[in-house]
Amino acid sequence: MTKRVACPPAPGPLEDYAARFDDVFSAVAQRRGFREYLTGLLAPRDRNKTLTCLAGAEPVVGAQHPAVQRLQFFLSESVWDPEKVNARRLELLRADPATAPHPGGVLVVDDSGDRKDGTATAHVGRQWLGRYGKTDNAVVTVSTLWADERVYSPLHARPYTPAQHFPTGKSDPGFRTKPQIAVDLVRRAAVAGVVFRAVVADCAYGDHDAFRGELFAADLPFVMALKPHRGTWAYGPDAHTPLDAARGLPWNGPRRPGPWKAIRRTFRDGHTATWWAAEARLGCWGPDGVIRLVIATTDPARLPATSTWYLATNLPRPGSTREADSPHPAADLTELVRIYGIRNWIEQSYKQVKDELGWADFQVRSDLAIRRHQTLVFCAFSFCWASTHALEKPPGQEDAGGGHDRRERGCRSSLSTDTAALAGDTARGPRLADPLDHAAALLARMVSETTAR
């Protein structure tokens, strides 16, 4: 058997991580490209992480530099499978006790849109971009994320292809809506052995009956947000929207809360807030129904739009007639608030960290090259978590707010031997981390080694 040719090592502990992918790549040039690409993604940002930036070359005029051309070939032309690379990343994720998914976490479904010019790029089209609040020319990618209160990890991603890319539009057999893509990704996570308490999504997915129906048919638990004015057929005097159902619940103040239950939530900076949650009825939905409607808010009297959740779930109520027959453990109001609250990672850290690592900075046009870039960003993301300080507290323990109280965990990532070289402001504490703290970046000595080779 021919001995594998060694390639130049990546700087610092990144080499230990990258070496675990070596058998996924068939050529030394691929292994080298993998290391150089991750090094560029992880370096502190001073401009968009295009290929010239990743290779340490000048923008525009440096496009023909050998190091840039080498990365371009690695991303667009070289023969390697991004699915195999991602499968290895998830294998390492599950093998590390500090990042392994456990049944107390959740599987978050989300999508992100990134503006792109022109019409030649795969998956590009005029689409609604939630982060910008407008429709624009963009590539939108649906992704899944496993998370608990302590750590989160991206799992799978697939770009959404607008109907105009298909010969017969939305009637084309190959066309898939975002909810359909999301269902496929949830199933892939389950097949990959990722365990979770429930699938969680905002109202962009929760309002789709077919999406919830697919999860229900697959015996997958979910907690989904709904728009407050989402209409439902009902008799004249009955509630027709989640907001109507919430307004129909009696509230006479904290001393006489009626059906509302106080939920104490504790945040990372130590402050606490009292939320109120209650079961509501909407059509056939109710406390003992196949689908429960739960309202969680800071103020049952006013139901402020910025701090009120309207949640649909198929998790049974403790003590209900459905509890014995349900394949899922029962969840009380405190647990449901905890489950959906974990989704805050998406808004408060995940999107910002992806941006810092260059998620939207690709300048390639083919579907394969785009998916490869996204896979490599996920690898850089996972390396950030693997290289941080010890993650606090094992899963399974909860504080009074219904979340996992994170004390010192007593185990370290196998890649954390050089943590003194990592950014010192990595997020710590018993609750959700602040944006960018843990990925703002990495080895100080890595910066000096990212110049073009």
Side-chain angles (χ1 to χ4, degrees), residues 7-20 22 35 383:
C7 68
L14 179 58
E15 172 59 25
D16 189 14
Y17 182 76
R20 304 184 184 193
D22 278 353
R35 287 162 168 79
F383 170 72

Side-chain angles (χ1 to χ4, degrees), residues 207-283:
D207 279 341
H208 284 267
D209 294 336
F211 179 58
R212 296 194 315 274
E214 290 275 1
L215 297 179
F216 189 89
D219 280 339
L220 291 170
F222 59 79
V223 179
M224 305 279 182
L226 304 168
K227 291 179 182 177
H229 295 286
R230 176 188 182 276
T232 300
W233 184 91
Y235 291 104
D238 295 337
H240 287 73
T241 68
L243 180 59
D244 293 340
R247 286 174 173 169
L249 297 172
W251 166 258
N252 298 299
R255 293 187 178 181
R256 293 189 298 161
W260 296 92
K261 176 183 177 181
I263 308 292
R264 182 172 176 267
R265 302 186 67 201
T266 304
F267 298 86
R268 180 183 179 272
D269 62 4
H271 87 275
T272 61
T274 298
W275 280 52
W276 298 88
E279 304 271 359
R281 294 184 180 277
L282 182 63

Side-chain angles (χ1 to χ4, degrees), residues 26 50 62 76 104 111 120 127 154 156 170 191 216 274 315 372 395 397 426-427:
S26 59
T50 59
S76 300
D111 60 58
Q127 306 176 67
H156 299 96
K170 293 184 178 181
V191 170
F216 189 89
T274 298
L315 294 173
R372 283 175 169 177
Q397 299 180 11
T426 298

Side-chain angles (χ1 to χ4, degrees), residues 154-201:
L155 300 176
H156 299 96
R158 185 184 303 171
Y160 162 73
T161 307
Q164 64 263 29
H165 288 262
F166 296 91
T168 56
K170 293 184 178 181
S171 62
D172 194 280
F175 174 75
R176 307 285 287 171
T177 65
K178 294 171 191 174
Q180 287 173 331
I181 293 173
V183 169
D184 290 342
L185 296 184
V186 169
R187 287 172 173 161
R188 288 183 63 185
V191 170
V194 177
V195 293
F196 48 87
R197 182 68 169 100
V199 178
V200 175

